[in-house]
Amino acid sequence: MDKNDLPLGFGFALAQNTDAMKAFANLPKAQQEDIVQRARNVSSKSEMQSLVNGLSN
């Protein structure tokens, strides 16, 4: 997966949470793809933030 494949809102949310960004980068590709697919189905900013914040917990 290329970083250009990330949904824009997901990329922005990751950029604002470096712990989540590091956690996402360290996940296996299959898990990254699952999270990206979930991010594509997000319908609000708060939902996206919850998804990203959950990566760093």
Side-chain angles (χ1 to χ4, degrees):
M1 176 176 19
D2 189 297
K3 68 180 177 182
N4 295 326
D5 294 337
L6 296 179
L8 191 59
F10 182 63
F12 283 143
L14 279 178
Q16 294 175 343
N17 185 332
T18 55
D19 290 336
M21 185 184 301
K22 290 175 189 173
F24 179 76
N26 288 323
L27 290 173
K29 292 289 182 195
Q31 280 185 282
Q32 287 180 357
E33 290 172 8
D34 179 57
I35 291 168
V36 167
Q37 188 57 43
R38 288 172 46 201
R40 286 188 177 116
N41 294 320
V42 164
S43 59
S44 71
K45 182 178 178 178
S46 62
E47 192 178 348
M48 184 66 77
Q49 287 176 328
S50 291
L51 174 64
V52 169
N53 290 342
L55 295 171
S56 61
N57 293 339

